[in-house]
Amino acid sequence: MKKWVKATAVVLALMGLSMKNAYAIDTTTVNEKWGKPTVVYGGGLSEAQIQQTSQLLGIKDPNTVLTETATGQDLIKYLGSGDGNTSVMISSVMVQKTDKGTGVKVKIKTPENITLVTAEQYANAAITAGVTDAEIEVAAVSKVTGESALTGVYKAFEANGVQLDAKRTEVAQQELEVTNKIAQENANAKGFDSSKLDKAMIEIKKELAELKQKQGQLATKEDIERIINEALKNNSLQNVISQDQINALVAFAQNYQNTSAIDSKQVLEQLNSLSKSVSEKINSLVEQAKNEGWLDKIAQFFQSIFDAIKNLFSQN
C-alpha cells in the first residue's frame, strides 16, 4: 500500500511540474526608457485587499508604479461582456513595456487563486488584442476565474497612450473563453496538454495570416477547418478535441481573420516569440521529468498496478 501511495505522489508531482518564469517586473528602479510599471487593481477590492495585492505583486513603494482601477464599465468597454458590476472585479495586473522583439510574457503570481486561465492563454489573447512586447504579472487575493484580468492589461496600455482596437479586444476575449473551455473540458483526457493547445492556437493564427498574404483574400470555412485540423494533428490533439470544440475554434477563426490582426506584422512577430516560449516550456517539462527520474517512476508505478492486478487474479 505504501508503495502505491508513494507512486501516486510521484504522478501528482509530475502533473504539477511547471517551468519557472525567468523574469520579474522591477519596481525598485524607474526604467527611464519605458517609465514606471502600471498597476491596474480590480475595482472590487477593498483598501486592505489592494495593499495585499500590492504585496503579492512585489511592490515595495507605491510611488514607483502608476496606478489605475478596472471597473465593470471597463469590462464592457474592452471585452464587450459583463453587466457593469465592479464589485466582482478582483483580478489585478502589473504591466511593463519592454524592448521590441522581446514578446509578450505573462507570469501568474497567484496560481492558487487564478483558477481557470493559464499564462499562455493570457499571452495568446493579449497578442490578438494588439498587445506587443510587454511583461505582465497577474495576481488575485481570492479564488477567481481570472478571465477579467485582460481588462486590466488593456487599461494599462491605454493609460500609457496605446489605444487598442475594441473589435480585437472582443475577439481576444472570445479566444480566451474558447481555449479555456476546451482546456477545462479535456483536463482529464488522455493525451491532452494545455501547452499543446496553446501551440495549436498560435499555428492557426499564423496560418490564417500566411494564407491571406499568399492568396490576397480571407480563408474560406473549408480552409479554416483544414488549418485547424492540421494544427491539432501537428500537436497530437486530433484524437482529443471533439467536433463541437472544433466548431468553436472555427467560429473564433472566422471572427479573428475579420480583424486587423490578420494583416499585422507585429502580431506575427509576437506569435513567433510566444511559440518559441511555449515550445521551450514543453521541452523543459520533458527534460525536467527525465533529469529527475519521474518518467522511470511513472513507468514503475503503472508496472506496480499491472503486477498487483496479476497477483490478485493468481491468488484466486
Side-chain angles (χ1 to χ4, degrees):
M1 181 66 179
K2 289 182 178 179
K3 181 179 180 182
W4 277 50
V5 171
K6 183 176 180 181
T8 302
V10 170
V11 174
L12 294 175
L14 179 61
M15 291 173 63
L17 286 175
S18 62
M19 182 180 70
K20 294 183 178 179
N21 290 276
Y23 82 91
I25 297 175
D26 183 9
T27 63
T28 62
T29 304
V30 175
N31 186 316
E32 293 182 302
K33 185 174 182 180
W34 299 117
K36 299 177 181 179
T38 300
V39 179
V40 183
Y41 293 109
L45 298 175
S46 65
E47 193 57 42
Q49 289 174 321
I50 288 175
Q51 294 302 317
Q52 185 181 351
T53 302
S54 177
Q55 293 176 358
L56 291 172
L57 290 170
I59 301 169
K60 297 179 180 179
D61 181 356
N63 294 315
T64 60
V65 296
L66 297 175
T67 303
E68 296 283 341
T69 301
T71 68
Q73 289 303 312
D74 290 324
L75 197 67
I76 295 173
K77 174 182 177 180
Y78 296 114
L79 308 185
S81 61
D83 59 4
N85 185 3
T86 298
S87 66
V88 300
M89 305 287 285
I90 303 299
S91 304
S92 302
V93 299
M94 179 160 61
V95 180
Q96 176 65 72
K97 195 77 173 71
T98 55
D99 292 338
K100 180 177 173 57
T102 54
V104 176
K105 300 176 183 177
V106 179
K107 182 175 185 179
I108 298 178
K109 300 283 283 188
T110 55
E112 70 281 3
N113 285 337
I114 305 292
T115 61
L116 290 184
V117 187
T118 67
E120 288 74 23
Q121 287 171 353
Y122 277 131
N124 233 333
I127 290 169
T128 293
V131 172
T132 61
D133 301 317
E135 292 178 346
I136 301 166
E137 295 185 356
V138 186
V141 295
S142 59
K143 288 189 180 297
V144 293
T145 60
E147 293 169 294
S148 66
L150 283 178
T151 303
V153 175
Y154 304 151
K155 189 157 188 175
F157 267 73
E158 187 173 283
N160 287 280
V162 179
Q163 189 70 43
L164 298 175
D165 183 338
K167 187 174 182 180
R168 284 177 62 172
T169 59
E170 289 181 17
V171 172
Q173 185 64 17
Q174 180 190 8
E175 176 180 355
L176 188 66
E177 291 173 357
V178 168
T179 54
N180 181 258
K181 187 172 186 290
I182 293 174
Q184 294 303 311
E185 290 174 347
N186 291 286
N188 298 316
K190 181 180 179 181
F192 180 79
D193 186 314
S194 61
S195 293
K196 292 180 180 179
L197 179 59
D198 295 329
K199 199 162 180 292
M201 290 300 293
I202 294 170
E203 290 179 18
I204 290 167
K205 291 189 286 187
K206 288 176 63 178
E207 285 296 320
L208 287 172
E210 289 171 5
L211 186 146
K212 167 75 184 302
Q213 186 177 29
K214 182 179 180 180
Q215 296 185 172
Q217 60 185 20
L218 298 179
T220 64
K221 185 178 180 181
E222 290 72 25
D223 289 329
I224 292 173
E225 290 173 345
R226 173 182 55 77
I227 288 171
I228 289 173
N229 285 320
E230 287 178 356
L232 294 176
K233 185 176 181 180
N234 290 342
N235 292 280
S236 303
L237 293 174
Q238 71 274 22
N239 296 322
V240 180
I241 306 302
S242 70
Q243 187 58 52
D244 284 345
Q245 292 165 349
I246 290 175
N247 292 341
L249 290 173
V250 170
F252 156 72
Q254 288 175 318
N255 288 333
Y256 176 82
Q257 69 171 357
N258 279 296
T259 70
S260 61
I262 197 70
D263 296 313
S264 172
K265 290 183 179 180
Q266 282 188 326
V267 166
L268 282 178
E269 290 172 358
Q270 303 300 300
L271 288 175
N272 285 331
S273 178
L274 181 60
S275 178
K276 181 180 178 181
S277 176
V278 172
S279 296
E280 288 175 351
K281 177 177 180 179
I282 294 173
N283 293 337
S284 175
L285 293 177
V286 173
E287 191 62 30
Q288 186 177 346
K290 288 180 180 178
N291 291 341
E292 297 180 6
W294 294 114
L295 294 181
D296 291 338
K297 291 177 183 178
I298 292 294
Q300 293 170 14
F301 170 65
F302 286 108
Q303 183 62 48
S304 70
I305 293 177
F306 176 78
D307 292 341
I309 294 174
K310 184 171 66 174
N311 290 337
L312 179 64
F313 282 101
S314 65
Q315 292 171 6
N316 292 323

